[in-house]
Amino acid sequence: MSLDLSRLFIGTLDYTIPFAALDDVRFERILRGFGSHYVVHPTSQSSFTFARGEGFDKFEKWDAFAYVDGGTLTRLREQIEVETDPGSNIAILPPPWSGLRLTLNVRVVLIFWALGLIIARSFTGGDWLFWLIGFLTLYGAHVALIRRSLKKKLGRWLARESWN
């Protein structure tokens, strides 16, 4: 899994999950799963955006993914380089889907922990380095919980309902 740390500090969680089998049926299940909690706008056959909307189902009480305000999800293909001679009639099938690229808006989490620790620091005092380390620890833990929660949701949305 690749994680873009530079964008994480501006409140955007941008990472890739390797997924070998992402046919259209499974991708549709993921889209419907997001659609039960967010307003979903398909942007192409392999990506969609989602944002928080009114009147949608709530997540579980202590679900870290509930703090994600929106984002994009894109299916990625493997990069295959093939050299052919000019004029040859070789048909090349498209490469298989290799993963999911997620860009999640987690600015609410960033602002929440930053303000919480600034307020706590103003009441208790102490060294700024200690509070900075505390902020990074809490923010990192919350991001890890968001990723874990999403992984569970993807597993539930992609699970087969029946083997028949």
Side-chain angles (χ1 to χ4, degrees), residues 87-102:
S88 65
N89 54 359
I90 296 175
I92 300 173
L93 295 173
W97 301 109
S98 64
L100 292 173
R101 177 109 182 133
L102 293 134

Side-chain angles (χ1 to χ4, degrees), residues 94-111:
W97 301 109
S98 64
L100 292 173
R101 177 109 182 133
L102 293 134
T103 305
L104 307 175
N105 179 358
V106 293
R107 287 183 186 95
V108 170
V109 174
L110 175 69
I111 293 168

Side-chain angles (χ1 to χ4, degrees), residues 14-157:
D14 191 9
Y15 69 104
T16 304
I17 301 174
F19 253 88
L22 279 174
D23 57 0
D24 291 338
V25 173
R26 287 185 177 109
F27 191 69
E28 181 67 29
R29 285 183 186 170
I30 293 171
L31 190 136
R32 278 186 276 136
F34 274 95
S36 65
H37 301 288
Y38 293 97
V39 177
V40 176
H41 300 288
T43 55
S44 70
Q45 286 184 330
S46 62
S47 70
F48 62 86
T49 62
F50 58 95
R52 188 162 310 286
E54 294 292 325
F56 284 87
D57 295 343
K58 302 290 184 200
F59 289 107
E60 294 86 24
K61 185 174 182 179
W62 295 104
D63 188 10
F65 194 73
Y67 295 99
V68 174
D69 288 329
T72 61
L73 187 135
T74 306
R75 286 190 291 183
L76 302 175
R77 287 196 183 271
E78 291 180 15
Q79 297 295 328
I80 297 178
E81 296 180 18
V82 177
E83 294 182 21
T84 60
D85 295 328
S88 65
N89 54 359
I90 296 175
I92 300 173
L93 295 173
W97 301 109
S98 64
L100 292 173
R101 177 109 182 133
L102 293 134
T103 305
L104 307 175
N105 179 358
V106 293
R107 287 183 186 95
V108 170
V109 174
L110 175 69
I111 293 168
F112 173 78
W113 287 118
L115 287 177
L117 290 175
I118 288 171
I119 291 169
R121 168 38 174 102
S122 66
F123 285 121
T124 61
D127 187 17
W128 278 107
L129 181 61
F130 170 76
W131 289 102
L132 179 64
I133 291 170
F135 166 74
L136 292 176
T137 302
L138 288 173
Y139 185 50
H142 203 116
V143 166
L145 288 173
I146 289 171
R147 290 175 61 176
R148 187 173 128 208
S149 174
L150 180 59
K151 186 176 179 181
K152 279 183 178 177
K153 286 183 187 334
L154 288 173
R156 190 169 55 237
W157 295 335

